[in-house]
Amino acid sequence: INAFCKKQSKTPLQYLQDMGVLSEIELRQCKTEYKLELNENERKTLSQTLELPESVLKRASEDMARNGLIIAQIIRLVENMKKKVLVFASSKDNSDFLASLLILRGIKAKSVTGETNFTDRVSSVEMFRENRLQVLLNYNVFTAGFDDPKIDCIFIARPTYSVVLYSQMVGRGLRGPLNGGTKKCLLVDVIDNIESQPDINYAHDYF
């Protein structure tokens, strides 16, 4: 397939999108003024694991200006664009906090994290599939093993250096019409002041 795609001047992702196997991605960036800063131990952990430490993610999740921008964007997606949104939050508390704010707004939202019991997790996923939830937020749960082909909006609010993790998050919304999914999927990428954050062009080789 790689050789064929080169003749067509397309990436494998573009080829499968044209076929309808994968959905087309409409990319929007939500830029913040938040700057990720790592101490020496956190930099060491990053170099060893290739992923941001929990402490870094927690600090990002507590920035109120960043949270305000994220909430405003999600509300606009739901109320103005009628999107069904899967959100990748930056921490367990952040997922719960954002869900609470959305519920106060009158939006049907649920947070699922590693601390959510199995019954509630299954129930939340089922409600989202059946469109009884407008927003499903999660932390460290739905990067893999989650399948709802009708998702038409992925909101990535979790900072990451990992192209593999990034592509897993984006991949939750890539089911195309031939796979029972959507023709297009809106990807909203929260862009913090961070060097080497993956982007969709770099990630396509990992899908």
Side-chain angles (χ1 to χ4, degrees), residues 107-118:
I107 291 173
K108 297 175 182 176
K110 290 274 285 185
S111 169
V112 176
T113 71
E115 296 182 12
T116 305
N117 68 56
F118 179 76

Side-chain angles (χ1 to χ4, degrees), residues 43-61:
R43 290 181 181 278
K44 183 177 179 180
T45 299
L46 175 62
S47 66
Q48 293 172 342
T49 66
L50 302 180
E51 188 49 272
L52 289 168
E54 295 281 341
S55 55
V56 177
L57 296 175
K58 186 175 186 296
R59 289 199 298 272
S61 74

Side-chain angles (χ1 to χ4, degrees), residues 23-185:
S23 59
E24 299 172 11
I25 297 172
E26 178 186 351
L27 178 62
R28 294 190 182 185
Q29 292 185 338
C30 175
K31 293 187 178 181
T32 78
E33 297 298 323
Y34 182 74
K35 184 176 182 179
L36 285 173
E37 296 180 338
L38 283 69
N39 60 38
E40 185 176 345
N41 288 336
E42 290 167 341
R43 290 181 181 278
K44 183 177 179 180
T45 299
L46 175 62
S47 66
Q48 293 172 342
T49 66
L50 302 180
E51 188 49 272
L52 289 168
E54 295 281 341
S55 55
V56 177
L57 296 175
K58 186 175 186 296
R59 289 199 298 272
S61 74
E62 294 172 347
D63 186 83
M64 295 312 296
R66 185 179 189 273
N67 284 329
L69 184 61
I70 289 170
I71 280 291
Q73 291 291 326
I74 295 174
I75 290 172
R76 189 174 296 114
L77 290 168
V78 173
E79 295 185 346
N80 297 352
M81 300 180 67
K82 309 303 178 185
K83 290 293 184 180
K84 175 180 179 178
V85 189
L86 176 64
V87 179
F88 290 92
S90 50
S91 73
K92 179 264 179 191
D93 290 341
N94 186 238
S95 182
D96 293 342
F97 176 66
L98 295 176
S100 296
L101 292 181
L102 292 170
I103 292 169
L104 287 173
R105 175 74 180 206
I107 291 173
K108 297 175 182 176
K110 290 274 285 185
S111 169
V112 176
T113 71
E115 296 182 12
T116 305
N117 68 56
F118 179 76
T119 301
D120 286 346
R121 184 182 301 188
V122 171
S123 173
S124 297
V125 170
E126 198 61 31
M127 289 174 67
F128 190 60
R129 285 200 184 106
E130 295 174 356
N131 297 319
R132 289 184 286 147
L133 287 178
Q134 296 164 290
V135 183
L136 183 60
L137 304 98
N138 85 105
Y139 175 69
N140 265 0
V141 176
F142 295 141
T143 52
F146 174 75
D147 182 34
D148 182 349
K150 294 302 182 181
I151 294 172
D152 62 357
C153 183
I154 300 292
F155 196 104
I156 300 181
R158 172 177 176 157
T160 183
Y161 279 95
S162 170
V163 68
V164 175
L165 176 59
Y166 180 83
S167 63
Q168 286 175 332
M169 291 187 286
V170 174
R172 299 311 98 206
L174 279 183
R175 285 276 293 272
L178 289 185
N179 279 325
T182 58
K183 179 175 175 57
K184 292 186 178 181
C185 180

